[in-house]
Amino acid sequence: MKVMVIGSGGREHALAYRLAQSDKVTDVYVAFGNAGVDLESNKKIKRLRIFEYDHDALCNNAKKLGIDLTVVGPELPLSNGIVDHFEDQGLSIFGPSKLASQLESSKSFCKDFLEKYDIPTAEYATFDDEAEAISYIKQKGIPIVIKADGLAAGKGVVVAETEAEAFEAVNNMLSGNQFGEAGHKVVIEEFLKGEEASYIVLCDGVNVLPLATSQDHKRVYNGDKGPNTGGMGAYSPAPVVTPEIDSKIMNEVILPTMKGMIAEGMPYKGFLYAGLMIDTDGQSRVIEYNCRCGDPETQPIMLRMQSDLAELCLAACNEELHQHSIEFDPRPAVGVVLASGGYPHSYGDGKEITGLENVDETQTKVFHAGTIVQNDQLLTKGGRVLCVTSLGDSVADAQARAYQEIEKITWHKMYYRRDIGYRAIDRENTAK
Ligand code: AMP
Ligand code: GLY
């Protein structure tokens, strides 16, 4: 089987790595990929220098290369209809249609859907008028959460602790054009308390198979402080999701979502990522849906996955997921993102990365994100550069191993958090 992965981040490197483990898979092409793909020791993994927005070129190459399955990493090609485009040409592609991917691409679509199908989420209202938005904020009080309606690369959410912050966020989005078209409508919602977890499932339109649970760290600094980023590290499983909470999530969130999407005439096929807030009573509420895998959650999840991902994605394209099960290594995995100093604000590219050859890869995999090779040198090219991901007998052990390997890697102004997985480690320590 020949597979194509669309995307160029750490998530796509991890998906390609796992897809290539299948005995049935002969080639995994990653478009556009990164230097990690070029340097892969598994020679089934190859790079295809076609950008993820070039649907025609991707489709033509899929036909030319005889690709049997395409897996889409990022949200943008999905919300631009790449799945519809491929399927119109008779190609198998794992991902939601343009309509179904509105669960991520429009926060107001998502919130209206959740309300209609009685799926637990924060109370909310939608506005395009600034005065009305401000009067709603005054009525509800702080803390309160302001979200740009459209895709804003994870940056369109402001958790406002003061009225002034909330007014400023609304003003920036509605009048200041901060996120362009994506911010011309805002969703204002209740602040939810609790612990976040990422719950990602494979869907075939009707059936679902959950991946292992995970948790990421979105804030840039230790202790979950500072601005939001795409994610500074993640681990799997997330112990906050106990078996009881897990089955509640399936019954109250995931299965009603699948049924609701069928009722809306847009059955959901692809990875579905529920970002959940779990409160102290064990109630889970949907913070957001993503129509793709998480980055960096995918890196630890793929390191733990033991089943044949290519077979599962193909089964999902044929609505046959109910005939399959999915296995994960019981050992936890922790992934620490190594970022360019300055991220998520401005940072410089082109710094030479050294030391990767010294990493002991027995229980560790270094997934690449923003990297390129130029004149035989490995250079940074992006905010999130690498994700060093390790397995261990406990989260503490996996974390210690990841940090031990990170010591061997360096570049000018490399930055990373020192506490990835701390909540799970606190739980491990309490249980002792
Ligand atoms: P989102 O892009 O919707 O996932 O939001 C980014 C981050 O903002 C989430 O991961 C949460 O940490 C936080 N957040 C979003 N919505 C809420 C909410 N209603 N209550 C509390 N925190 C939230
Ligand atoms: N790590 C969060 C996301 O992928 O959206």
Side-chain angles (χ1 to χ4, degrees):
M1 186 191 322
K2 289 186 180 177
V3 183
M4 178 161 78
V5 175
I6 295 176
S8 56
R11 165 183 51 210
E12 289 77 21
H13 187 192
L15 289 170
Y17 163 82
R18 179 51 59 199
L19 287 161
Q21 311 281 313
S22 165
D23 291 338
K24 297 183 185 121
V25 169
T26 53
D27 307 85
V28 180
Y29 294 92
V30 189
F32 190 82
N34 54 43
V37 173
D38 288 322
L39 301 172
E40 252 304 324
S41 52
N42 186 333
K43 293 303 165 202
K44 289 183 190 176
I45 301 179
K46 295 159 204 170
R47 200 145 168 215
L48 206 54
R49 286 170 195 271
I50 305 174
F51 290 111
E52 62 201 41
Y53 53 76
D54 196 346
H55 296 190
D56 278 330
L58 290 165
C59 204
N60 292 339
N61 271 274
K63 283 190 207 155
K64 202 169 81 190
L65 294 165
I67 300 288
D68 302 289
L69 167 73
T70 298
V71 178
V72 188
E75 61 275 20
L76 210 56
L78 294 166
S79 65
N80 286 337
I82 194 164
V83 168
D84 312 68
H85 193 99
F86 268 56
E87 287 180 345
D88 285 348
Q89 311 273 326
L91 293 165
S92 281
I93 180 163
F94 184 59
S97 65
K98 182 180 169 107
L99 278 178
S101 64
Q102 288 178 96
L103 274 182
E104 175 169 3
S105 65
S106 165
K107 297 227 188 255
S108 55
F109 173 90
C110 179
K111 296 294 292 191
D112 294 347
F113 173 87
L114 294 170
E115 183 171 66
K116 182 168 173 188
Y117 292 96
D118 210 13
I119 298 166
T121 188
E123 191 191 314
Y124 75 106
T126 306
F127 299 92
D128 51 19
D129 180 87
E130 191 173 337
E132 286 174 19
I134 285 177
S135 111
Y136 183 79
I137 293 166
K138 284 188 177 150
Q139 181 200 333
K140 292 290 170 186
I142 44 123
I144 197 156
V145 184
I146 321 290
K147 302 184 172 185
D149 183 55
L151 293 178
K155 295 177 190 117
V157 175
V158 175
V159 178
E161 312 271 352
T162 62
E163 269 196 359
E165 264 180 274
F167 296 162
E168 190 189 343
V170 165
N171 180 267
N172 284 342
M173 291 183 203
L174 290 181
S175 309
N177 206 30
Q178 188 182 16
F179 298 106
E181 195 58 40
H184 289 171
K185 190 150 80 168
V186 296
V187 169
I188 304 186
E189 65 178 38
E190 168 198 7
F191 175 78
L192 296 173
K193 287 202 202 77
E195 186 170 338
E196 283 181 56
S198 306
Y199 196 92
I200 306 172
V201 294
L202 287 162
C203 309
D204 71 2
V206 180
N207 310 288
V208 294
L209 265 187
L211 298 181
T213 59
S214 58
Q215 194 172 81
D216 82 342
H217 293 269
K218 289 206 172 76
R219 307 293 191 103
V220 72
Y221 303 128
N222 292 340
D224 294 318
K225 302 275 183 338
N228 263 323
T229 68
M232 295 302 294
Y235 59 96
S236 169
V240 62
V241 184
T242 59
E244 297 74 46
I245 292 179
D246 196 308
S247 69
K248 257 170 87 81
I249 294 170
M250 278 302 272
N251 292 323
E252 294 177 10
V253 175
I254 303 294
L255 297 176
T257 297
M258 294 300 287
K259 288 203 184 98
M261 291 302 274
I262 294 171
E264 294 295 309
M266 42 182 99
Y268 194 96
K269 166 175 67 82
F271 292 109
L272 179 65
Y273 165 147
L276 300 169
M277 187 70 87
I278 302 171
D279 69 17
T280 43
D281 297 330
Q283 177 64 49
S284 305
R285 291 186 178 79
V286 177
I287 297 176
E288 63 163 350
Y289 265 131
N290 293 317
C291 57
R292 50 171 175 82
C293 269
D295 190 342
E297 291 95 323
T298 306
Q299 289 84 317
I301 294 175
M302 288 301 134
L303 199 63
R304 294 185 60 219
M305 191 170 177
Q306 291 171 326
S307 306
D308 185 330
L309 179 61
E311 192 175 63
L312 290 173
C313 292
L314 204 57
C317 291
N318 298 324
E319 218 183 287
E320 289 170 352
L321 268 188
H322 55 293
Q323 298 171 10
H324 293 264
S325 60
I326 190 163
E327 300 298 327
F328 290 89
D329 191 322
R331 290 174 298 171
V334 172
V336 179
V337 168
L338 306 186
S340 297
Y343 174 78
H345 305 303
S346 66
Y347 53 82
D349 280 339
K351 312 284 188 300
E352 187 181 1
I353 304 167
T354 57
L356 277 182
E357 66 285 1
N358 301 323
V359 172
D360 173 1
E361 290 216 313
T362 23
Q363 288 192 65
T364 298
K365 175 77 189 168
V366 180
F367 294 111
H368 288 231
T371 58
I372 53 163
V373 176
Q374 242 172 31
N375 303 326
D376 290 331
Q377 281 186 330
L378 181 65
L379 306 178
T380 64
K381 192 177 191 324
R384 293 190 293 173
V385 177
L386 300 170
C387 182
V388 179
T389 312
S390 298
L391 287 163
D393 295 329
S394 59
V395 179
D397 185 40
Q399 188 208 52
R401 181 166 291 114
Y403 284 119
Q404 181 184 314
E405 297 308 323
I406 287 169
E407 287 294 312
K408 302 171 184 170
I409 305 169
T410 190
W411 69 81
H412 183 58
K413 292 198 175 159
M414 175 175 109
Y415 170 77
Y416 59 94
R417 274 182 61 166
R418 313 261 166 180
D419 62 350
I420 300 303
Y422 73 87
R423 284 198 192 81
I425 294 171
D426 286 350
R427 276 197 166 79
E428 285 175 351
N429 290 337
T430 317
K432 270 181 197 160

